[in-house]
């Protein structure tokens, strides 16, 4: 129907479609794959989603819960179907699809797993792995699957079971109004397609289909066979044969011809839980049970017309599942009305001020439950004594609009001549009968009455069975949840709404032995298979549980540790203090204690086990395991846990303090250092000497006070303890900012009684300890509660490098380069850095009289633009601890730009010229300066910028704009190009020349012809386009400059004036074909000789490729030029390609192309097999002659257009042809294609490895842009079936 309609486009829908099966939270297995989890609380099995098979899962679950379908399938044995083990044997007739369906159904019923896989079933369909990710329409699948089963079961006793269960017939009648002659035609169906657009319920849609008559009158008369003339007639349809199972397909997807786009009908569309089809049948004299149906499955679609997800609501007829109230159960209401009170409320009450109540009462009192619309006004006046216009028109408008706006209560029937209540549609007779023959839903409180639903939403919940009988479940791929019957009403409308309805006849009763018995009528071999799978899975689960519950414990023995700095430390680095023990966490603490006792034979006395943790300060204990009866899992012991084994009191005579409050903190204790050895912060060894800071890592208990820390450090009480101050004054910068001072906050005396935890000190924090005499030093200054420490730092420098300047990087002898570290800060000017480096390197005499500047060097050794020496280190963006190179040249000022430029072509490394210009200079002034530098004259020059791939890009058109206005940045490269800028409205087009390989020898010309060097200069910066078919590799012909108002004939004439084409013999422009290039590929042929270049959408810089023809050519707008290749019989190659012009103006279907090719090669169209070549992927896409798209009115099949998806045939495409009369090989792939695919795989692998390498270096992946994801081409759904006739 819709082909690959449901292609996901929204990320939210992708998640629910692709990952709906991963709902349950499970542990990750340590070794190997995790076994499938057992069934959930519902005791029903779901189906795994292969990526886009939710439509298949929903239909398979519906068929599984159709007991008559699955029992008919199970009744077929191996004698008729064969065995799956023999399917590979030549000549064996194994009916794979029904066998795989039997296995899947048996697994769903008997195997104890949360969800089963459909991979084997889809493999039997002939689907590859990519088919599992394509979404399709479930209505289309229903028909194709039934067709595949019919073909698979030919010649078996089950060949007609689909027909017996689902087949029905419709009789279409046309009655002549003159002679009464009746012309009838029967139509078979497996499912009924009912309209959604313009109707509000299933009953109304069926009424319009099978009760309403279509009149042929006026200009639309019917030719009666008996009268032999055009007459007035009435056309109608009736259900003649009703199947046991009625499938209703709702047409929720429509096409808006005004907007030319698909859309989904999301309006309210109700359907009953039970329905009587007697009013819609031709024969109505049978028992009511023959017409009564009850709903048992609703397939639901959530999403839009281009993407979404399917799931299904199913009634468990055989009561195989375990129903429980839904988790989101509504709170019970405190007051519930009795059924009598509800019925009284539902009776029509006359409220004269409410037009809805008045009209409802009028219609309800009529025997036929309907009123003629032209009599409704009179009946209204008789009822209330006033007309509609006087009483209601002012507030409610005309009565006709009022009825249409309340379509939830009323419906117009008989072409709008009658109005009836929604729950009481009239019967099919000429004069509507009484209530006894109404379309059955006798209970006015069922969901088929929308008015009752809105007024009393709690009635369904009250009336439905809750503890006995069959219940409803929501099967959403691998998830199965219980729902209430009232939840079905939520699927009447909205983005998530019903899509297919499945009804079963009410008289189909299930035998008592089938209830609660999943093995009912399942073959013995499938039961044994399921039992073996259950035994195997149970064994896997036990092994998995044993593996998954084994934890690795690190045991730390007390004799190997001592207490130091508030934490346990190993006594010696040579002695390993811990051992590893593997243990089952389901065992108890007592079992673990006993195991450790057995391993530690020399242990004496009590044994305590405490959970520990390795911290930066050392090992710390948290809690002791005292209850030997609890499991390790309950005790909080997990894998890689640390356990400390001790006596529970002390370690080496020291009492241990355990718990979170005593967790140790590792602090960096900082003290002044006057050149002593140790880890120093600051430069005791700096050029001018001076004090530094010495660091020492010490651990302390977190509950220790600051005073106790000072005492443990051996400091006197008058010593100051300071913490690093983060909010210092403006002049205190860190090392990277170039400052030389740091601030420390002094702890006040009150803080000496506070603990480290209370002071928020954590691991790695610095604690400065100062004795009073230290403040006398010039390095320490106290201002209130802040101590400023000024120390020269080794990280506040810039390295300046100087060496001989070599142009072009010659191979001469390398001389030694001189380097010096210059002390610098963020506020220091770069000119001072340069001057100090020159003095330190003693270069005054060597560079006397020459200008030098400072430049960075990138990782490839390329010199970057000079830094502005008028700025400070910070303002110029120069980072400290980096290297600057002292190079010859001037440094730009703050108002200037340093630019590179080259003449003619994109510059290579070291070939560009440098220039310094003002930012306010115009492009014309900048160009003149560049020409003066290189000694060129003339006005036929312009500037171009480089594009993102470092190639010559578009010209700079606005020559009067300043460089700053054009956002030309410092260090940018410009290209001086020869030629005048094209005036406004003119195009400059690059022209290439392609010759036919077959006629290449006939043409003798100089393709290296130049026009003052112009062609040679510009040919170097463009790569030749890629040509296919009979054309040789193209050559550059030059450029043309032409108005965009010129037509295609003018363009061809001007192209022929190029010097490179002077020797090419072209009688007229009709012998020339012009291609437009896109991305170095031939994109389209320009056609329409009188069309202007503007209408052809050509822009300046567009590439054109001209081709000489042997005959005149005048392509129409729908003509397609194809390269066709006939396959060599029995070989994996093709004959040389030929050009073929295919006229697709009238018919662009595969049949039209097949006919055109057959006429060209003088072959039969039915003997040709076609495929389109995909050169980018080196694959062939077979062009089928069969289309599945069927119009909704079933008039005719829609022709598939090859100009649209999925083939998109265009000029220059290659079409391969196989003649099946003499060639048995249907494969189009050649050896060259396989080699190309191998190259693509290697490129992908290299790209993947490159991406991983980039990721390891910290490169962030590219973020999602706001662009919408392109949709895949729609693919037709098909199931491959063998031949069994």
């Amino acid at each position: 129907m819709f082909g690959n309609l449901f292609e996901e486009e929204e990320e939210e829908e992708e998640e629910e479609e692709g990952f709906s099966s991963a709902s349950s939270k499970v542990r990750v297995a340590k070794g190997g794959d995790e076994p499938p989890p057992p069934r959930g609380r519902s005791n029903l099995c779901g189906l795994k989603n292969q990526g886009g098979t939710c439509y298949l899962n929903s239909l398979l679950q519906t068929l599984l819960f159709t007991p008559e379908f699955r029992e008919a399938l199970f009744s077929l044995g191996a004698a008729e179907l064969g065995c799956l083990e023999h399917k590979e044997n030549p000549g064996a007739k194994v009916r794979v699809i029904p066998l795989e369906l039997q296995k899947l159904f048996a697994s769903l019923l008997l195997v104890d797993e949360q969800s089963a896989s459909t991979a084997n079933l889809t493999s039997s369909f002939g689907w590859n792995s990519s088919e599992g990710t394509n979404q399709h329409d479930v209505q289309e699948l229903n028909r194709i699957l039934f067709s595949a089963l019919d073909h698979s079961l030919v010649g078996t006793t089950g060949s007609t079971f689909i027909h017996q269960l689902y087949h029905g017939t419709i009789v279409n009648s046309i009655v002549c109004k003159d002679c009464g002659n009746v012309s009838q035609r029967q139509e078979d169906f497996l499912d009924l397609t009912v309209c959604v657009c313009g109707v509000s319920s299933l009953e109304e849609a069926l009424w319009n289909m099978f009760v309403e008559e279509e009149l042929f009158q006026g200009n639309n008369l019917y030719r009666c066979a008996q009268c032999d003339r055009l007459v007035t007639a009435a056309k109608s349809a009736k259900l003649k044969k009703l199947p046991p199972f009625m499938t209703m397909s709702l047409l929720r997807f429509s096409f808006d011809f005004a907007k030319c786009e698909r859309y989904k009908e999301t309006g309210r569309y109700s359907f009953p839980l039970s329905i009587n089809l007697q009013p819609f049948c031709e024969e109505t004299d049978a028992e009511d049970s023959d017409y009564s149906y009850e709903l048992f499955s609703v397939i639901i679609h959530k999403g839009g017309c281009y993407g979404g997800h399917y799931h299904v609501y199913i009634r468990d007829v055989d009561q195989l599942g375990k129903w429980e109230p839904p988790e989101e159960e509504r709170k019970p209401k405190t007051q519930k009305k009795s059924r009598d009170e509800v019925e009284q409320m539902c009776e029509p009450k006359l409220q004269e001020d409410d037009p809805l109540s008045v009209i409802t009462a009028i219609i309800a009192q009529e025997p036929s439950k309907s009123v003629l619309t032209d009599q409704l006004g009179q009946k209204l006046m008789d009822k209330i004594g006033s007309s509609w216009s006087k009483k209601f028109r002012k507030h409610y408008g005309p009565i006709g609009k009022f009825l249409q706006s309340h379509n939830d209560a009323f419906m117009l029937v008989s072409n709008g001549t009658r109005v009836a209540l929604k729950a009481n549609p009239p019967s099919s007779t000429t004069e509507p009968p009484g209530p006894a023959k109404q379309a059955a839903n006798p209970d006015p409180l069922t969901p088929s009455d929308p008015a009752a639903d809105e007024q009393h939403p709690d009635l369904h919940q009250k009336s439905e069975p809750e503890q006995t009988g069959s219940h409803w479940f929501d099967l959403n791929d691998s998830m199965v949840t219980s729902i209430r019957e009232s939840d079905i009403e939520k699927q009447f409308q909205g983005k998530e709404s019903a899509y297919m309805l499945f009804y079963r006849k009410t008289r189909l009763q299930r035998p008592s032995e089938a209830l609660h018995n999943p093995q009912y009528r399942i073959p013995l071999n499938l039961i044994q298979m399921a039992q073996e799978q259950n035994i195997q899975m149970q064994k896997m689960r036990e092994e998995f549980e044993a593996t998954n519950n084994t934890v690795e414990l690190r045991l730390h023995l007390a004799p190997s540790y001592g207490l130091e700095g508030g934490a346990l430390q190993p006594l010696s680095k040579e002695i390993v203090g811990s051992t590893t023990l593997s243990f089952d966490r389901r065992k108890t603490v007592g079992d673990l204690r006993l195991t450790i006792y057995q391993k530690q034979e020399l242990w004496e006395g009590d044994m305590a086990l405490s959970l520990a943790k390795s911290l930066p300060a050392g090992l710390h204990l948290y809690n002791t395991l005292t209850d030997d009866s609890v499991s390790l899992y309950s005790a909080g012991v997990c894998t890689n846990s640390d356990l400390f084994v001790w006596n529970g009191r002390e370690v080496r005579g020291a009492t241990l303090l355990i718990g979170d409050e005593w967790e140790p903190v590792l602090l960096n204790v900082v003290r002044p250092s006057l050149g002593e050895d140790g880890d120093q912060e600051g430069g005791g060894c700096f050029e001018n000497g001076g004090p530094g800071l010495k660091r020492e890592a010490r651990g302390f208990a977190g509950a220790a006070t600051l005073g106790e820390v000072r005492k443990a450090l051996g400091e006197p009480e008058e010593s100051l303890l300071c913490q690093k101050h983060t909010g210092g004054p403006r002049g205190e910068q860190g090392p990277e900012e170039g400052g030389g001072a740091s601030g420390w906050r002094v702890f006040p005396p009150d803080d000496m009684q506070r603990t480290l935890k209370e002071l928020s000190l954590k691991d790695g924090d610095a604690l400065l300890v100062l004795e009073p005499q230290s403040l006398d030093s010039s390095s320490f200054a106290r201002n209130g509660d802040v101590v400023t420490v000024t120390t020269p730092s080794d990280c506040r420098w810039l390295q300046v490098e100087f060496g001989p300047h070599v142009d072009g990087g010659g191979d001469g002898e390398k001389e030694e380069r001189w380097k010096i570290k210059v002390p610098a800060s963020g506020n220091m000017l770069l000119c001072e850095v340069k001057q100090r480096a020159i003095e330190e390197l003693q270069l005054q005499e060597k560079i006397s009289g020459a200008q030098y500047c400072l430049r960075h060097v990138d990782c490839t050794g390329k010199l970057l633009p000079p830094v502005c020496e008028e700025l400070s280190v910070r303002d110029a963006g120069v980072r400290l601890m980096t290297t600057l190179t002292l190079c010859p040249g001037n440094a730009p000022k703050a108002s200037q730009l340093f630019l590179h430029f080259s003449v003619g072509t994109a510059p290579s490394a070291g070939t560009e010229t440098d220039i310094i210009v003002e930012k306010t200079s115009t492009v014309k002034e900048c160009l003149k300066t560049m020409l003066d530098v290189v000694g060129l004259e003339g006005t036929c020059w312009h500037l171009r910028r480089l594009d993102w791939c470092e190639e010559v890009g578009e010209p700079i058109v606005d020559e009067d704009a300043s460089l700053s206005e054009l956002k030309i940045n410092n260090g940018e490269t410009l290209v001086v190009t020869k030629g005048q800028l094209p005036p406004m409205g003119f195009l400059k087009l690059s022209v290439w020349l392609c010759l036919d390989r077959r006629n290449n020898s006939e043409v003798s010309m100089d393709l290296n012809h130049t026009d003052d060097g112009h062609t040679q200069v510009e040919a170097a910066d463009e790569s030749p386009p890629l040509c296919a078919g009979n054309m040789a590799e193209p050559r550059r012909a030059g450029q043309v400059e032409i108005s965009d108002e010129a037509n295609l004939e003018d363009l061809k004439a001007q192209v022929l004036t190029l010097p490179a084409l002077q020797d090419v013999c072209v009688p007229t422009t009709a012998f020339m074909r012009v291609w437009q290039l896109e991305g170095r590929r031939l994109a389209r042929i320009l056609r329409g000789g009188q069309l202007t270049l503007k209408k052809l959408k050509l822009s300046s810089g567009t590439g054109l490729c001209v081709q000489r023809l042997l005959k005149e050519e005048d392509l129409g707008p729908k003509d397609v030029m194809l390269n066709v290749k006939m396959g060599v019989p029995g070989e994996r190659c093709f004959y040389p390609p030929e050009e073929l012009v295919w006229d697709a103006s009238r018919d662009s279907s595969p049949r039209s192309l097949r006919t055109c090719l057959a006429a060209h090669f003088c072959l039969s169209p039915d003997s040709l097999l076609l495929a389109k070549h995909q050169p980018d992927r080196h694959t062939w896409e077979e062009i089928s002659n069969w289309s599945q798209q069927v119009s909704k009115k079933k008039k005719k099949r829609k022709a598939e257009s090859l100009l649209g998806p999925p083939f998109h045939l265009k000029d220059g495409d290659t079409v391969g042809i196989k003649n099946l009369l003499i060639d048995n090989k249907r494969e189009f792939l050649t050896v060259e294609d396989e080699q190309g695919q191998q190259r693509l795989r290697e490129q992908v692998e290299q790209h993947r490895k490159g991406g991983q390498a980039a990721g390891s270096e910290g490169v962030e992946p590219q973020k999602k842009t706001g662009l919408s994801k392109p949709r895949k081409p729609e693919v037709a759904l098909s199931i491959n079936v063998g031949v069994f006739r």
Side-chain angles (χ1 to χ4, degrees), residues 117 237 339 474 561 567 599 908 1173 1214 1283:
S117 173
R339 186 173 182 85
D474 178 12
Y561 284 84
K599 290 183 175 292
S908 57
H1173 189 230
T1214 300
V1283 179

Side-chain angles (χ1 to χ4, degrees), residues 202 246-248 250 271 295 297-298 498-503:
L202 178 64
M246 181 69 74
T247 302
M248 307 283 189
L250 308 184
F271 49 87
L295 187 69
S297 175
V298 182
Y499 193 62
M500 285 189 76
L501 308 176
F502 296 84
Y503 288 88

Side-chain angles (χ1 to χ4, degrees), residues 682-791:
C685 305
F686 203 72
E687 57 178 3
N688 56 355
L693 297 177
K694 183 175 67 174
R695 290 178 176 267
E696 178 187 10
R698 292 285 298 271
F700 303 96
T705 63
L706 201 58
E708 292 172 348
V709 170
R710 183 172 58 186
K711 184 177 180 181
L713 293 174
E715 298 292 336
E717 293 185 0
E718 58 271 14
S719 297
L720 300 179
L721 299 184
C722 310
Q723 185 182 15
K724 198 68 174 281
H725 187 39
T726 57
R730 189 171 183 270
E732 300 173 1
Q733 287 89 10
E736 293 187 1
E737 295 297 327
S742 58
W744 298 77
R745 186 182 66 86
V746 179
F747 286 107
D750 294 343
D751 285 350
M752 294 298 137
Q753 306 303 319
R754 300 176 64 186
T755 64
L756 301 183
K757 293 285 187 182
E758 293 172 346
L759 293 171
S760 300
L761 290 172
K762 55 186 182 299
D763 293 326
D765 284 353
L767 187 68
L768 177 63
V769 181
L770 288 178
E771 296 182 0
Q773 58 270 24
S774 301
L775 297 175
D776 298 335
S777 171
S778 60
S779 300
F780 303 96
R782 180 171 182 177
N783 183 13
D785 61 346
V786 175
V787 173
T788 302
V789 181
T790 305
T791 58

Side-chain angles (χ1 to χ4, degrees), residues 1135-1186:
Y1135 290 111
E1138 304 178 33
E1139 288 186 354
L1140 173 72
V1141 177
W1142 171 43
D1143 182 7
S1145 58
R1146 295 185 178 180
D1147 186 6
S1148 59
S1149 65
R1151 172 62 64 182
S1152 172
L1153 177 61
R1154 198 180 304 273
T1155 303
C1156 179
L1157 291 171
H1160 180 76
F1161 290 101
C1162 299
L1163 297 172
S1164 171
D1166 297 331
S1167 65
L1168 299 184
L1169 183 65
L1170 311 182
K1172 176 191 173 184
H1173 189 230
Q1174 303 285 1
D1176 294 335
R1177 302 196 300 267
H1178 299 282
T1179 59
W1180 292 85
E1181 190 171 2
E1182 186 173 327
I1183 301 176
S1184 172
N1185 192 38
W1186 176 73

Side-chain angles (χ1 to χ4, degrees), residues 112-176:
D112 183 20
E113 58 181 345
Q114 183 188 27
S115 57
S117 173
T118 58
N120 291 336
L121 178 64
T122 56
S123 178
S124 71
F125 291 168
W127 295 359
N128 53 30
S129 57
S130 63
E131 283 287 342
T133 60
N134 293 331
Q135 293 193 43
H136 293 282
D137 181 34
V138 69
Q139 298 175 4
E140 179 187 19
L141 174 68
N142 183 54
R143 298 176 181 179
I144 293 178
L145 180 59
F146 281 0
S147 176
L149 285 174
D150 274 340
H151 286 80
S152 297
L153 299 176
V154 169
T156 68
T157 57
S159 59
T160 61
F161 90 88
I162 296 288
H163 188 275
Q164 293 170 358
L165 295 179
Y166 295 95
H167 177 263
T169 57
I170 298 173
V171 57
N172 295 289
S173 303
I174 300 180
V175 181
C176 175

